[in-house]
Amino acid sequence: VQLVDSGGGLVQAGGPLRLSCAASGATGPLYAVGWFRQLPWKTREFVGAIRWNVESTFYGASVKDRFTISRDTNKNTVYLQMNSLKPEDTAVYYCAARLRGGSYFAALEYDYWGQGTQVTVSS
C-alpha cells in the first residue's frame, strides 16, 4: 500500500487548511486511516482516524471540534479538514493506514505511512 499525503503549507492562525491522503496498491479493504503529527523533538501525536467501511471517526483531544476527517471511497482518499488553526498545530502531518483492528491512537499499530506534509501556522 502506498500513501501520498499532501496539502500542507503556511497559513495564518485562525485559518483553514485541508490535507489529503491518497491510497493505492491495496489488495483488500483498509481497516482504518489515521493522521498523526510530529515535531522534531517530540513523539508522534495522534490527530484522528477514520474507520474505512463504517466511516466512524476518532480525534485527539487537542484537535477535537476543530479538525474533521472524511473519506472518498471512489478516490481512495482521506481528508483532514483543519479549521481554527493555532501556532501549536505546526508540525509535519502524516497519514497512516492499517489493515486490522486495534488501538487507533497507537502509531506502532499502523502498517503503512505517507511521506509527511509540513503544516506551519503563523501567529
Side-chain angles (χ1 to χ4, degrees), residues 32-91:
V33 173
W35 286 95
F36 291 80
R37 63 188 184 185
Q38 187 171 23
L39 288 168
W41 55 89
K42 292 189 176 180
T43 57
R44 205 158 283 192
E45 177 189 4
F46 174 76
V47 174
I50 184 167
R51 275 278 303 271
W52 189 260
N53 286 340
V54 300
E55 210 172 3
S56 300
T57 53
F58 310 87
Y59 298 95
S62 61
V63 306
K64 195 174 181 181
D65 298 329
R66 297 188 298 123
F67 291 9
T68 303
I69 296 176
S70 61
R71 55 120 172 84
D72 184 332
T73 55
N74 291 328
K75 296 181 179 180
N76 276 346
T77 299
V78 173
Y79 303 99
L80 177 65
Q81 177 66 45
M82 305 184 292
N83 296 326
S84 303
L85 282 162
K86 305 175 181 179
E88 50 264 43
D89 293 319
T90 295

